[in-house]
Amino acid sequence: MSELVLDPKTTALVLIEYQNDFTSEGGVLNGAVSEVMGSTGMLPKTVALAEAARAAGVTVMHAPITFAEGYHEISSHPYGILKGVVDGKAFVKGSWGAAIVDDLAPRDGDIVIEGKRGLDTFASTNLDFILRSKGIKTIVLGGFLTNCCVESTMRTGYENGYRVITLTDCVAATSQEEHDNALRFDFPMFSVPVTADDVLAALS
């Protein structure tokens, strides 16, 4: 890959679902993702990258998913990935599990994207409006799950004309196989897959 070039003024780091239910021991879904998280070191790498991004003037955005107790915002007959969320009672608004992990708690100047209720961060939020308002042209994506919310957001970002950069070592899935498959086959079609170090180098 040729050296990555980033303009902090037109770049946003979008952190998808770095919430205790995924990131932290005791979280509903942590057991499912902890192996892949450990294999990449995604949490400390993301923390370091967020610090560097803020220092460089990159817009840092957080995109948590939350539901009111009872999950009335979505189908009464959920299936697939959202059924697992409902059955596990994950990401209930106001709960410890739905809170953004302390290590990545939003700082002054960060933007928290409200209203994420599904997989694609663009779908039920004002993410696109905020990005365009701020003149953002490049989005750098990290978070959960590699092959689900990160991939869904990546695809829509690509369709919407953004330059999409995916952080290969700041994402995790529920199995190494699914993670590796997404990175190998899907990410290169709809993004520029890079490591956190590649982005750090571009910002330094």
Side-chain angles (χ1 to χ4, degrees):
M1 187 193 81
S2 58
E3 193 176 344
L4 185 66
V5 177
L6 291 172
D7 177 359
K9 292 193 295 296
T10 59
T11 300
L13 175 63
V14 182
L15 304 174
I16 299 170
E17 295 178 15
Y18 282 85
Q19 293 158 272
N20 287 318
D21 272 336
F22 273 137
T23 58
S24 307
E25 199 171 331
V28 171
L29 299 167
N30 177 247
V33 297
S34 57
E35 185 182 340
V36 180
M37 283 183 71
S39 76
T40 59
M42 74 173 285
L43 195 52
K45 285 181 181 175
T46 306
V47 171
L49 185 56
E51 293 281 0
R54 292 183 188 103
V58 169
T59 300
V60 176
M61 307 175 101
H62 305 264
I65 189 169
T66 57
F67 301 96
E69 209 159 336
Y71 299 92
H72 300 297
E73 301 97 334
I74 56 175
S75 163
S76 55
H77 304 288
Y79 62 97
I81 188 77
L82 286 176
K83 185 177 190 321
V85 168
V86 173
D87 289 351
K89 296 188 166 46
F91 306 118
V92 174
K93 189 177 290 190
S95 70
W96 170 82
I100 294 170
V101 64
D102 286 346
D103 290 350
L104 277 169
R107 304 271 186 84
D108 286 348
D110 290 5
I111 296 169
V112 178
I113 300 297
E114 309 279 354
K116 189 174 190 300
R117 301 283 182 268
L119 314 182
D120 172 7
T121 308
F122 286 96
S124 59
T125 75
N126 60 353
L127 175 61
D128 193 62
F129 172 80
I130 293 174
L131 292 172
R132 294 188 191 283
S133 299
K134 294 181 69 64
I136 301 294
K137 295 181 169 58
T138 300
I139 54 173
V140 181
L141 306 180
F144 301 89
L145 297 165
T146 312
N147 57 334
C148 186
C149 294
V150 176
E151 179 163 327
S152 297
T153 304
M154 167 190 75
R155 287 170 178 253
T156 300
Y158 184 88
E159 295 276 16
N160 286 1
Y162 293 98
R163 177 189 181 210
V164 183
I165 293 171
T166 43
L167 296 161
T168 56
D169 51 357
C170 294
V171 290
T174 54
S175 74
Q176 195 68 49
E177 187 179 18
E178 290 168 288
H179 174 79
D180 292 344
N181 185 73
L183 294 187
R184 181 178 172 194
F185 295 110
D186 298 345
F187 277 38
M189 291 179 71
F190 308 105
S191 73
V192 179
V194 302
T195 65
D197 280 347
D198 291 328
V199 176
L200 286 170
L203 293 176
S204 59

